[in-house]
Amino acid sequence: MPSWVTQGYDEYARRMPSDMSLELCEITPGQRGKGRDVARAMQKEGDAMLAAIAPSDYVVALEVLGKSWSTEQLSEQMEGWRMNGRDVALLVGGPEGLDARCVARADVKWSLSSLTLPHPMVRLLVSEQIYRAWSIICNHPYHRAG
């Protein structure tokens, strides 16, 4: 990832409280390119994602066909996740999307946009929106809309 993405993600993760921490778990992407089997790459990524998820985790798959939430709706979702008491795993797929098994494992599907977004932007956008939603939950002045 470019340094600006890492710095931005780290900044929002640092701001999160310990009871709602943000932790990044990166998997090695499957090999792509000329003569490579894309389905095999997606399967490898899916294997790694599913291995990283605990059976008790609440899984949110980032999917273009998922539910679109406003920041306020995300804060409501996060408050529900916190009250549920389970760890939440957010799954972001590779260039072709998530392996079908990861989508099937998801408790909910979340769409950031109907636009195709590059992975660096997704990482930064998700971390900022999680922090912003937390600021709504806590009446922190970071979120001033509305």
Side-chain angles (χ1 to χ4, degrees), residues 33-100:
K34 189 174 182 179
R36 301 281 186 175
D37 184 355
V38 172
R40 177 175 269 162
M42 287 181 70
Q43 181 179 10
K44 181 182 175 193
E45 293 163 358
D47 290 343
M49 283 186 198
L50 293 171
I53 300 168
S56 61
D57 286 352
Y58 186 85
V59 177
V60 179
L62 275 78
E63 272 284 303
V64 74
L65 298 176
K67 296 177 183 177
S68 179
W69 298 324
S70 68
T71 303
E72 291 78 8
Q73 289 169 322
L74 174 59
S75 72
E76 292 168 8
Q77 291 290 323
M78 285 176 55
E79 187 62 16
W81 301 340
R82 186 166 70 167
M83 293 297 125
N84 189 327
R86 296 162 61 190
D87 286 339
V88 177
L90 299 168
L91 304 183
V92 179
E96 291 81 22
L98 282 168
D99 181 83

Side-chain angles (χ1 to χ4, degrees), residues 7-21:
Q7 290 169 350
Y9 170 84
D10 289 347
E11 177 62 24
Y12 291 115
R14 182 190 64 75
R15 293 180 185 190
M16 294 297 295
S18 61
D19 70 331
M20 198 180 278
S21 63

Side-chain angles (χ1 to χ4, degrees), residues 93-113:
E96 291 81 22
L98 282 168
D99 181 83
R101 297 168 299 150
C102 294
V103 176
R105 170 62 178 86
D107 294 289
V108 68
K109 296 167 193 75
W110 175 23
S111 174
L112 295 179
S113 171

